[in-house]
Amino acid sequence: SRWRPPPPPSSQLSSSNRHHHHHRRRTTTTPTTSVSSKARTKMYQARRRVLLNVVLHACDISNPCKRWTLSHEWSNRISKEFFNQGDREREEGLPVSPNMDKATADQCDTSINFIDFIVGPMFAAVRRLLPKTEICVSGLQSNRNVWYQRLEKKNSNSKGVLNEEDAQAHRKKWEARNDAFSEILATARKQADEARPQGSPSPIQTIFSLPASPSHSSRSPSPSSRSGVNEGKSQTHSKRNTTVIKNRK
């Protein structure tokens, strides 16, 4: 049987966009309070599962958030793996998968695309729920700056390949990309800080804590009311016993 390439690892560019955007959208939903107690319990249990799935997926794609030396090392390894797969696909006469053709793929460009379209929007959403992930967002921004500097250095060393018009269009494209990425992170930070007044619980605490049902107090009598009910029952039983004894006599 002919060899078929294995599915690319989920921790880099080949992460399923369908599942990725599904997880990112789920982080923006808000809990509903106008439901019954039973439905509310199920809802919060479901939200816990969703949040755990989101956090797990964020960990899966978090390599660009790590310190540069570690992140760069794993980027080199995944690029080597991608190029090996592309070579094997070419040998087998198969279409070469995106970002796996070493003749056309560029590690800097690929890494920035991965950050801009996958990791950045995901961690911007997670940042709203988990304020302490700011350290991840800061690392992501720092690593992207390094990749962009390397890309610019590579482009400056290849002058003469592009004419002046194409080079100017290339610069404008990346300037717009840089501004858009910075705006995404700035908006996420601002929304997270404005949405949480000082001293209030974090969004993650709100999701993981199940508030008491509005009807809980009406269904659960206080100790004093329960004692009153018990006293009434005992009086009823004593009257019945007295009646039975009189009838026997």
Side-chain angles (χ1 to χ4, degrees):
S1 60
R2 296 187 65 182
W3 176 85
R4 290 293 183 272
S10 62
S11 58
Q12 285 287 338
L13 280 171
S14 300
S15 295
S16 171
N17 285 338
R18 178 171 61 87
H19 292 294
H20 166 76
H21 294 297
H22 166 76
H23 287 311
R24 186 165 63 87
R25 285 195 302 270
R26 298 297 290 273
T27 62
T28 60
T29 59
T30 55
T32 305
T33 55
S34 59
V35 294
S36 65
S37 176
K38 184 176 181 181
R40 196 144 88 145
T41 301
K42 289 184 178 179
M43 179 188 68
Y44 273 84
Q45 289 174 347
R47 287 180 66 78
R48 289 187 182 100
R49 288 193 295 269
V50 168
L51 186 60
L52 290 174
N53 288 336
V54 167
V55 172
L56 181 61
H57 181 65
C59 293
D60 184 38
I61 62 174
S62 64
N63 180 62
C65 301
K66 298 181 173 80
R67 67 180 185 273
W68 169 252
T69 53
L70 182 61
S71 178
H72 186 217
E73 173 63 23
W74 279 106
S75 178
N76 291 337
R77 294 188 182 193
I78 197 66
S79 296
K80 183 178 179 180
E81 181 180 336
F82 281 0
F83 294 157
N84 289 340
Q85 179 172 325
D87 292 343
R88 187 65 182 273
E89 288 173 342
R90 188 179 291 103
E91 292 173 3
E92 296 291 332
L94 299 172
V96 179
S97 301
N99 303 305
M100 297 186 183
D101 189 347
K102 61 184 178 184
T104 58
D106 179 80
Q107 186 179 3
C108 296
D109 186 79
T110 299
S111 298
I112 296 176
N113 288 338
F114 183 47
I115 291 173
D116 285 1
F117 300 117
I118 302 295
V119 187
M122 182 67 180
F123 272 87
V126 173
R127 170 68 172 79
R128 297 185 181 98
L129 289 177
L130 303 169
K132 290 186 178 181
T133 55
E134 171 61 31
I135 187 174
C136 301
V137 175
S138 298
L140 181 66
Q141 195 167 20
S142 175
N143 288 340
R144 188 192 183 280
N145 291 337
V146 176
W147 283 119
Y148 178 70
Q149 291 169 6
R150 292 187 170 214
L151 182 67
E152 285 295 286
K153 183 177 180 180
K154 180 181 178 181
N155 292 335
S156 63
N157 292 336
S158 59
K159 286 183 177 179
V161 177
L162 299 176
N163 56 44
E164 183 60 28
E165 183 179 354
D166 292 339
Q168 186 175 3
H170 180 80
R171 284 193 299 271
K172 287 184 177 180
K173 181 193 81 169
W174 282 108
E175 287 175 0
R177 286 273 298 271
N178 293 340
D179 294 340
F181 182 77
S182 299
E183 181 64 23
I184 288 174
L185 298 188
T187 302
R189 288 167 172 149
K190 182 178 179 181
Q191 290 178 350
D193 295 339
E194 290 179 349
R196 183 191 175 193
Q198 189 174 6
S200 63
S202 65
I204 190 72
Q205 291 173 322
T206 303
I207 290 175
F208 271 89
S209 61
L210 178 62
S213 172
S215 58
H216 180 72
S217 57
S218 61
R219 272 191 273 151
S220 300
S222 62
S224 59
S225 62
R226 284 199 298 266
S227 62
V229 172
N230 293 334
E231 290 176 1
K233 289 182 179 179
S234 63
Q235 291 177 2
T236 303
H237 286 307
S238 63
K239 289 180 181 180
R240 289 178 181 175
N241 292 336
T242 303
T243 304
V244 171
I245 292 173
K246 289 180 179 180
N247 292 336
R248 287 180 179 177
K249 290 180 179 181

